Every structure is written in structure tokens, then in C-alpha cells.
Amino acid sequence: MLIQDLLLQSADLRPDANALGFRDQRRTYAQLADDTARLGAGLLELGLAPGDRVAIWLPKQLETVQAIFATARAGGVFVPVNPVLKPAQVSYQLAHSDARVLVTSRQRFQSLGDLAGECAALEHIVLIDGDGAAGTRDWEDLAGSDPREAPRAIDQDMAAILYTSGSTGRPKGVVLSHRNLVAGARSVATYLGNSPSDRILSVLPLSFDAGLSQLTTGFYSGAYVHLMDYLLPRDVLKAVTRERITGITGVPSLWNPLSRQDWPGEAVASLRYLANTGGAMPEGTTKALQEKLPGTELFLMYGLTEAFRSTFLPPEKALAKPTSVGQAIPEAEIMIVDGDGRPCGPGEHGELVHRGVHVALGYWKNPEATAERFRPAPNQPAGLPREEIAVWSGDTAYRDEDGDIYFVARRDAMIKTSGYRVSPTEIEIEALAVDGVTEAAAMGAAHPDIGQAIVLYVAGNSSDPELEGRLRKALAAALPAFMVPQRIEIRDTLPLNPNGKVDRPGLGRECEAFFTGDET
């Protein structure tokens, strides 16, 4: 199967069922299939060749989804660009991906200015609100094309490039095949139990692997997907009630405030499941959501863009093991190995390695990073004619006696202080248990005496004069002395990256000057 087959299969089975919604707009599966066939034909008329990249820089709306699946139907590779990125960041992704086509709005294209000229491969600008300006193409013209046969493709062909931020350097483009995306949809839909009766609220960016997964799992299952760029937690609750939503996948920065909201009875009645990804769910948030939504299943997940999804914790374990990310998703094996590639025993920390059908093709135009992260899977039979490649995550984790996995830290995020290696996650868990703290991020900052000092950033009421005292008392009681932060920074909110996660690289750069005498 190819990614577009997820849509086409449901269009054959349920042509009149609603597939996609945005605000008051609705498209049935039959309509969406026709939309993407016509737009795909329009892209072919532009001269799009198999494997050509089509960048899509739009807010989350119907045209964004149409462009994603039309590109696939035309044999191209879609590159969803996060709509909150600044022009220079967008220009980098356009140039790095060698995009031939950019689908965007007039205002966004104008904001690129001269930067668009730095994208050597860019030939066509398609504006969804075009006015026939020179050098651009109007969406309506392409979307009105007569459907035509597209070039033949197979499941191992490139389907998408998703840009993911790292702790250093520019974002890397993860190359995903049709096979990766279809297998990811099948696996996630299997353990979430998605069906045609589901109504999924899409709140994550479609440039984020978990956000794209809302579309692929929804269409695989024949469900309805409602697009939403949420502004406030209460907007999410209104949408759940209005659209009779049955499932939402979000990140901790969404769940933390939602756990403190009063959920309307209609929302409580309709929600079948919640799922968390993109970071550890605070234990207090897990408990609060379960208390407010007793009939809703809560799935705690861990994933890599390089492998789409990796693990999930079944809802029945959420109360007993709220800090675990569970075990491998269907069709994957998750290994935890030591520095020599040997399996770790229960409780022994090691690197998490993902093998299976979800493993991406590598990083676009970055053979060095690809060779570092995509390496032969451990413990393969010696007689194999060709080595199997796995994703070596760089993340430290361990299993308990039941085989359930616990995330410890990213390898490059571990703090080394006074000869000890300290997991930021352990500090953050204790900080989040303190009343008044809603977000926490522990960082290592260069220190002349102890290697790295621990800096703890928390989101809370910065005008509360007693909050830092409560934090220090709680941390001193819960942690050994070498793990207690040397400095605590209290902010009303913590900065987020475009995917809604705490901007750890940005905070890391800020705190580097705290103990060197260069602070301004």
C-alpha cells in the first residue's frame, strides 16, 4: 500500500462518510479522494517528476491535507513545513529539501521576500489565495485539473521528508517511505482501536510525526478527522463537545493545563481515548485526567520521527506505572542494549534501539548523521546476506521485571556534575510534583568547578514569593545533594518549539552563561 491508498480504500468503502473537517467545512471520503486526484493531476501538469519535493507551508486547514495526499498521488514527496516557522527557517527547509514546488498563501510567500531566491530548485509557487500574480500559480487552476494516471510507485519509495530539531545544528530531514507511513498508521490504529465510529481531533502540527499520524490512522480506519489550531485549553474543550470527539493525541504542554479544566459532561461522555507523546506525562497530570475522565482510556506513548512510533503503555497500566512508556508497538521490536550491543537486564540502563518496518530511510542529504543513527541492528545471525538497519535512538532507557520500558534521558541531555551522570527527567518529575509548577526543564550549564551545574527552569506563578522555597525544600527532600539544582529560574511560561515541546536547546544556550561570568 501507498499512503494515498489509506484515503482511497476508505473512499471505496465509505464514500459518503465525512473524512475531514475544518471549522464549518466538511469533505466526505469521496470528495476528498476527488480533490486529491485533481490537484495531483495539476501538479503533474507542472512537470512534477517522481520523487520531486513539494513543500507545503500553510496553517492546518483543508488545503494542507489535500496538498499532502495530492503530492503522494502524483508520485512526489511532501515536505510539510510548520506554519509557525519564521521565513529564514522556512527558506532553509525549502533549499535543503530541494523543493520544486511550494504550496502556500500570498501573505506567507510575500514574507519570504528575497529568501525565496536562495532556493535554487524552487520553480513553482502555488498560492491558495492567488490573484494571478506573475511567477505564481493559482490553487484553483490546479485543483480543477482532470484526473490522470500518475507514475507507478512502490512502498519503498520516498513519501515524505519531516524536519526534526536536534540539540545541535540545523534541523534534519527524516526521509519516510510509503511503507513507513502505512505501517505506522496500521500499528497505531491497532493499539488505539480506531474504527469508522471515531472522531479524531487533530491538534498537533502536521509537520510533526504524531500530528501527521492523526491523518494516517484516521483515514486507515475510515474515521473522521477534525483539524484544529487550538488557542486556549477551553477552545479544545469546546471543540470536543461540539464535534463529539472520541480521540485526541497531544503533548504534555497541552495535557497539563487541560488536566486543571472542568470538563463538560458532553466531552466526558464522548471521549474514548487520550494519548500522550512528545515527552513524559507528569504523574500528577495523568492522575488528574483519569479522575476527570474516568471512562476515557489514556495511552502513554514514546516515539521517534526516525521510526514514527515506538512504544505505548496500555491504559490498564497507567495508574500502576504512570512513568512507563510500555512496550513495543505492533510490528516493531524495541531493544535496550549496552555499549557493546548486548541486551540489558531488568533495571540496567542502556540505549533504546528500534527495529522493524517503521525504520525510516535516513536523513536527507546527511550521510554522516544517517550513518551515526541508522546502524546494523544488534545480535543478527552471522549468515545474513545483508545486514538489517535499525534506529539507534541515543535515548537511555531501562526495562522493569515485566518488560515495561522507562525513559531516562537523551544521551546528549544527560547532565554530568561532580563526577555523576544525572538524568534531567528525574529532577523534572520531582519539580512537577510541587504545587504551583506546571512545566519543568532541567539543564546542565558549564561550571568551572563541578563540570556542569544543574539549572532548573519551571513554569509557574513568577510573582509567588514562596514558590522557589517550596521547590528547594521538596527537591532537597526527594533528591541526593548532587542532584539538587544550583539555580532555579521561575517563569510564567517556558518557551516552546514549533511542535509544542519545551525549547530545550534554547534554554540550554541561555543557561550556559550563568556560571561563567558572561551573564548579561
Side-chain angles (χ1 to χ4, degrees):
M1 290 182 69
L2 308 178
I3 185 174
Q4 60 265 32
D5 293 328
L6 302 177
L7 168 62
L8 301 180
Q9 181 174 271
S10 288
D12 286 340
L13 296 173
R14 310 181 71 242
D16 298 326
N18 280 335
L20 190 66
F22 176 66
R23 295 177 181 168
D24 294 328
Q25 300 172 281
R26 300 289 184 274
R27 301 302 284 171
T28 67
Y29 273 104
Q31 290 171 329
L32 189 57
D34 185 64
D35 292 340
T36 57
R38 293 181 180 280
L39 182 61
L43 292 173
L44 289 170
E45 290 170 7
L46 291 181
L48 191 77
D52 281 348
R53 273 71 63 200
V54 176
I56 304 159
W57 187 31
L58 290 170
K60 197 185 302 172
Q61 57 192 64
L62 297 185
E63 291 88 348
T64 314
V65 178
Q66 291 166 1
I68 286 173
F69 283 86
T71 298
R73 294 191 69 168
V77 176
F78 60 89
V79 185
V81 180
N82 197 306
V84 304
L85 294 184
K86 301 298 183 183
Q89 297 168 304
V90 175
S91 175
Y92 169 77
Q93 292 190 14
L94 294 176
H96 187 263
S97 66
D98 299 314
R100 283 192 65 196
V101 180
L102 170 62
V103 180
T104 189
S105 66
R106 184 169 59 246
Q107 182 180 11
R108 287 175 181 271
F109 178 59
Q110 290 172 348
S111 74
L112 283 175
D114 294 338
L115 291 171
E118 299 177 6
C119 307
L122 192 59
E123 297 179 11
H124 303 286
I125 310 298
V126 179
L127 303 181
I128 63 168
D129 52 357
D131 55 4
T136 66
R137 300 295 300 264
D138 288 353
W139 170 275
E140 293 299 332
D141 291 342
L142 268 66
S145 302
D146 291 330
R148 55 187 286 189
E149 186 175 354
R152 182 174 177 80
I154 66 169
D155 64 346
Q156 285 287 64
D157 288 338
M158 287 194 301
I161 300 177
L162 300 186
Y163 279 84
T164 179
S165 296
S167 56
T168 59
R170 294 275 201 171
K172 297 188 289 290
V174 178
V175 181
L176 295 164
S177 68
H178 287 272
R179 186 181 186 217
N180 296 148
L181 295 171
V182 171
R186 183 171 60 241
S187 294
V188 176
T190 296
Y191 69 74
L192 291 181
N194 287 126
S195 73
S197 63
D198 273 320
R199 300 176 63 84
I200 298 169
L201 187 63
S202 170
V203 296
L204 299 174
L206 300 181
S207 55
F208 180 30
D209 61 309
L212 180 60
S213 180
Q214 303 311 289
L215 295 177
T216 59
T217 55
F219 294 167
Y220 173 84
S221 307
Y224 170 69
V225 181
H226 190 81
L227 306 174
M228 180 186 182
D229 281 325
Y230 76 91
L231 299 175
L232 297 168
R234 64 172 177 266
D235 296 325
V236 174
L237 297 183
K238 289 178 181 176
V240 171
T241 301
R242 183 181 64 251
E243 302 297 334
R244 307 185 312 283
I245 296 300
T246 64
I248 315 174
T249 296
V251 293
S253 59
L254 171 65
W255 299 128
N256 291 333
L258 280 176
S259 71
R260 297 188 294 272
Q261 296 288 312
D262 292 325
W263 287 69
E266 298 92 334
V268 175
S270 70
L271 268 178
R272 183 177 68 78
Y273 71 87
L274 302 178
N276 176 69
T277 189
M281 179 91 92
E283 188 172 349
T285 300
T286 299
K287 291 180 178 179
L289 288 171
Q290 289 179 319
E291 290 172 359
K292 292 175 182 289
L293 301 164
T296 301
E297 294 184 316
L298 177 59
F299 293 83
L300 304 179
M301 306 190 299
Y302 162 90
L304 298 162
T305 304
E306 293 86 349
F308 215 58
R309 300 286 89 203
S310 291
T311 71
F312 78 101
L313 183 74
E316 60 269 20
K317 294 185 177 181
L319 272 179
K321 299 183 176 184
T323 58
S324 173
V325 293
Q327 300 187 18
I329 66 173
E331 303 182 60
E333 180 183 8
I334 302 301
M335 312 171 75
I336 297 175
V337 299
D338 63 17
D340 295 321
R342 292 189 293 262
C344 293
E348 183 182 354
H349 289 197
E351 183 172 359
L352 186 148
V353 179
H354 179 127
R355 61 179 294 260
V357 68
H358 313 93
V359 173
L361 301 181
Y363 297 118
W364 180 254
K365 295 199 304 188
N366 196 336
E368 295 83 7
T370 298
E372 179 183 354
R373 185 60 60 88
F374 295 86
R375 308 202 306 271
N379 307 315
Q380 297 184 54
L384 280 178
R386 186 172 58 183
E387 290 183 308
E388 176 198 348
I389 299 300
V391 177
W392 294 68
S393 70
D395 293 346
T396 302
Y398 70 92
R399 296 183 190 274
D400 64 16
E401 295 288 348
D402 300 323
D404 290 315
I405 296 170
Y406 294 76
F407 176 86
V408 178
R410 285 199 56 79
R411 180 171 54 193
D412 55 10
M414 297 290 278
I415 301 168
K416 189 159 187 182
T417 180
S418 300
Y420 293 95
R421 289 176 60 82
V422 175
S423 162
T425 304
E426 292 183 66
I427 301 169
E428 292 159 9
I429 287 172
E430 300 302 335
L432 287 164
V434 175
D435 185 44
V437 174
T438 58
E439 295 275 3
M443 317 297 299
H447 191 284
D449 298 324
I450 58 175
Q452 285 183 305
I454 299 172
V455 179
L456 176 66
Y457 289 88
V458 299
N461 183 357
S462 60
S463 62
D464 181 353
E466 299 179 353
L467 180 53
E468 182 171 346
R470 294 200 303 273
L471 261 170
R472 289 199 173 278
K473 182 178 180 180
L475 294 175
L479 301 171
F482 69 86
M483 292 182 65
V484 175
Q486 279 76 25
R487 178 163 176 159
I488 294 176
E489 290 284 310
I490 299 174
R491 311 280 172 84
D492 289 325
T493 60
L494 296 188
L496 304 178
N497 69 18
N499 287 332
K501 302 179 186 178
V502 173
D503 181 11
R504 292 177 182 271
L507 292 176
R509 290 189 294 270
E510 175 185 314
C511 72
E512 274 301 313
F514 285 174
F515 303 95
T516 62
D518 298 327
E519 183 181 359
T520 58

